[in-house]
């Protein structure tokens, strides 16, 4: 790594010996920190080759006053992000900090808004930012460079939280942050280099348009609407994990909605196919919860900002509609995903691989690039619920299924789907047969 060169402030002595507050003995503390670490500030910034991808790196030195954020720290970080934008490079933040520097008071605290502005400008430039949470990552470092990154990787065992352990009970761990949907992946130090290289490659090699996956299930079309429902609900039918495994050469998941929620029934992430990157958001056959819709919206918005095409896989009986889902804002979460896909500038490709239940399924679907598999269906509502709403005898569910015209071939004839994917045909040969 070529460190410091373009990122060191013009004058490291511009604040005076004891800083902006003239804190007694602060100059001596800085001198001891330099002697201990060999660094002149709590961050070292530079340009590095990481697994073949050139990136700007912001690396915290925790041995320098606990990796605290001071005014010179903010200046270095600002210059690093500015250089990244000027050169069109991704940014990697290796965070280990106890928060803002007490000896510099409010001027140190104000560096958080300075950093936040750099994050915003870098997002607008369409450049990716990956944060690695080391031990500890607390205070403003967590609330800006950490939690504000596009992809957040956590080193196992790290203390991660807004408040440090000296001002509250024992620290909040990175494992708990992962469970709350605020960290994408947990890694050991040994795993970190290879995973970081993979992520940089994923976020800097976008494809053009996601091809339609081959169907993995049966090729025969269902003779009746009820047969279509039965096929889509079959336990042995291929699910999202099988489709993603067959579609990508390799892929990396993202985790959570960044609002405290995780839905295990929704898989999101980025994958490589023939050397190019595509994003994915896939339902796994369960009722999709608010966190699932929000995670998918986050994925689509990030992919759109980075210019990465998106593949969505639809497979759900519908949106979760229990009291917990309503309290968690399921309607607003669905609206956010509808809006993200409708506003995406990158192409979004959809394949319905199982059940397509009402708005909970439609929220994942591209309105003009949707295909279906032979063992799928798509309906305004399930035949059973439609039968109940229409005040019919429950035994009429089969007839209702036919009337809903929910079979794959019906969907193509109605203009809802563009074609039917087949196991032995390429995407451009998908057909209604």
């Amino acid at each position: 790594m070529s460190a410091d060169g373009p990122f060191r402030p013009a004058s490291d002595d511009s604040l005076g010996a004891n800083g902006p507050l003239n804190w007694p003995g602060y100059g001596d503390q800085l001198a001891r920190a330099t002697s201990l670490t060999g660094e002149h500030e709590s961050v070292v910034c530079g340009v590095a080759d990481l697994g073949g991808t050139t990136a700007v790196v912001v690396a915290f030195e925790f041995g320098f006053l606990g990796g605290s954020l001071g005014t010179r720290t903010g200046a270095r970080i600002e210059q690093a992000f500015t250089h990244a934008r000027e050169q069109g490079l991704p940014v990697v933040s290796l965070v280990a900090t106890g928060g803002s520097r007490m000896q510099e008071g409010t001027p140190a605290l104000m560096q958080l808004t300075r950093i936040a502005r750099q994050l915003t400008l870098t997002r607008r430039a369409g450049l990716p930012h990956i944060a690695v949470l080391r031990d500890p990552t607390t205070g403003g470092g967590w609330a800006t460079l950490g939690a504000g990154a596009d992809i957040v990787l956590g080193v196992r065992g790290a203390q991660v939280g807004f408040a440090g352990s000296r001002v509250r009970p024992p620290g909040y761990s990175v494992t708990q942050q992962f469970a709350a949907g605020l960290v994408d992946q947990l890694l050991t130090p040994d795993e970190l280099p290879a995973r970081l290289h993979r992520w940089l490659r994923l976020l800097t090699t976008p494809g053009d348009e996601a091809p339609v996956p081959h169907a993995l299930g049966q090729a025969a079309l269902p003779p009746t609407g009820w047969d279509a429902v039965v096929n889509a609900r079959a336990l042995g039918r291929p699910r999202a994990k099988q489709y993603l495994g067959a579609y990508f050469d390799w892929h990396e998941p993202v985790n959570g909605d960044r609002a405290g929620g995780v839905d295990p029934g929704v898989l999101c992430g980025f994958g490589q196919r023939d050397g190019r990157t595509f994003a994915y958001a896939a339902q796994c056959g369960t009722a999709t919860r608010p966190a699932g819709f929000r995670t998918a919206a986050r994925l689509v918005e990030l992919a759109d900002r980075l210019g990465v095409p998106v593949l969505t896989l639809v497979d759900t009986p519908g949106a979760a509609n229990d009291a917990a889902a309503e309290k968690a804002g399921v309607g607003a979460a669905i609206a956010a995903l509808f809006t993200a896909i409708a506003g995406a500038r990158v192409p979004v490709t959809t394949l319905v691989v199982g059940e397509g239940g009402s708005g909970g399924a439609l929220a994942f679907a591209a309105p003009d690039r949707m295909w279906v598999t032979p063992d799928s269906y798509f309906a305004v509502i399930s035949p059973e619920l439609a039968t109940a709403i229409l005040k019919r005898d429950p035994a009429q569910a089969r007839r209702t299924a036919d009337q809903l015209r929910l079979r794959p071939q019906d969907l193509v004839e109605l203009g809802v789907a563009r074609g039917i994917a087949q196991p032995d045909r390429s995407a451009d040969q998908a057909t209604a047969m």
Side-chain angles (χ1 to χ4, degrees), residues 18 23-35 64-65 103:
N18 287 323
W23 190 280
Y26 179 41
D28 292 337
Q29 289 180 296
L30 291 174
R32 286 194 296 271
T34 296
S35 176
F64 193 103
L65 298 181
Q103 297 91 330

Side-chain angles (χ1 to χ4, degrees), residues 53-72:
T53 302
T54 302
V56 168
V57 178
V58 176
F60 279 72
E61 170 54 73
F62 189 74
F64 193 103
L65 298 181
S68 55
L69 290 157
T71 51
R72 296 186 309 187

Side-chain angles (χ1 to χ4, degrees), residues 159-238:
Q159 176 193 166
V160 177
F162 185 64
S165 59
R166 293 190 180 184
V167 295
R168 58 156 165 74
Y172 209 64
S173 76
V174 70
T175 303
Q176 291 167 299
Q177 300 287 6
F178 175 80
L182 301 170
V183 173
D184 289 306
Q185 295 182 358
L186 297 178
L187 308 171
T188 65
D190 290 340
E191 293 171 326
L192 178 59
R195 196 65 59 87
L196 189 55
H197 297 168
R198 284 165 66 100
W199 270 113
L200 284 168
R201 182 177 172 188
L202 281 172
L203 301 182
T204 58
T205 56
D208 295 322
E209 186 176 278
V212 181
H214 292 282
L216 299 182
Q218 61 186 32
L221 292 175
T224 70
W226 188 251
D227 288 322
V229 174
V230 170
N231 291 343
R233 292 176 179 174
L235 294 178
R237 173 182 56 78

Side-chain angles (χ1 to χ4, degrees), residues 331-349:
I334 293 173
L337 181 53
F338 269 126
T339 302
I341 291 180
R345 294 160 297 179
V346 296
V348 180
T349 301

